[in-house]
Structures are given as structure tokens and as C-alpha cells.
Amino acid sequence: MDLSVKSPENIKHMVDSISEKLRMLNVGAIKAEAFDEEMYEDLKYLYDMVMRKDSFSPSEMQAIAEELGTLRKQA
């Protein structure tokens, strides 16, 4: 998968991978469709950071969840 290309499929992959790695209980609340390609670079940065780490403290998980919230499309 070439994550250097902005696409809905890559956004879905990154969001799903972040959710899985963090073992987020409310995965349904984080849908790939809620992210805009304009925020792709920020999402990719967050994805890269999450994939590099093996474990997360509760405060890190909270910060990541908050960052995902800020990257979502504003209705």
C-alpha cells in the first residue's frame, strides 16, 4: 500500500490501523469517511507515530483520540 498517495482507501487503512493498534473500544465512532483528504498529511503523521510505538499510556491514547477528533471533517 502506497500511503504517499492521498486516497479514500489509504485514509480508511490508516484510520482502521490506528483504531486496531490502540484497541479502541468505540471503533464505530471513528469512521474513515469522517476524514477529509485535506487533512491527509496530518493523519499520515499521526499514523506513522502510532505505528512506531509498541505501547501507549492512557494519557497518550487520550491525546491521540483527541487529535483524531480534530482531524475529522467539520459538519
Side-chain angles (χ1 to χ4, degrees):
M1 180 163 267
D2 182 4
L3 295 178
S4 66
V5 177
K6 295 179 184 178
S7 72
E9 294 80 18
N10 285 347
I11 291 173
K12 180 173 178 13
H13 170 75
M14 289 190 291
V15 170
D16 290 348
S17 295
I18 290 170
S19 297
E20 183 178 316
K21 179 109 182 206
L22 298 179
R23 294 182 201 97
M24 290 185 159
L25 298 176
N26 197 1
V27 176
I30 302 174
K31 297 184 190 239
E33 299 82 35
F35 294 88
D36 195 341
E37 284 188 25
E38 290 179 22
M39 301 303 252
Y40 189 86
E41 294 302 320
D42 294 328
L43 181 61
K44 175 130 178 18
Y45 177 81
L46 184 63
Y47 168 82
D48 289 339
M49 191 249 336
V50 168
M51 292 302 119
R52 278 194 302 265
K53 292 192 68 164
D54 292 327
S55 63
F56 301 90
S57 69
S59 61
E60 288 174 317
M61 290 180 69
Q62 177 67 30
I64 292 166
E66 288 174 9
E67 184 63 23
L68 284 170
T70 63
L71 294 177
R72 293 175 65 197
K73 292 179 192 174
Q74 301 302 314

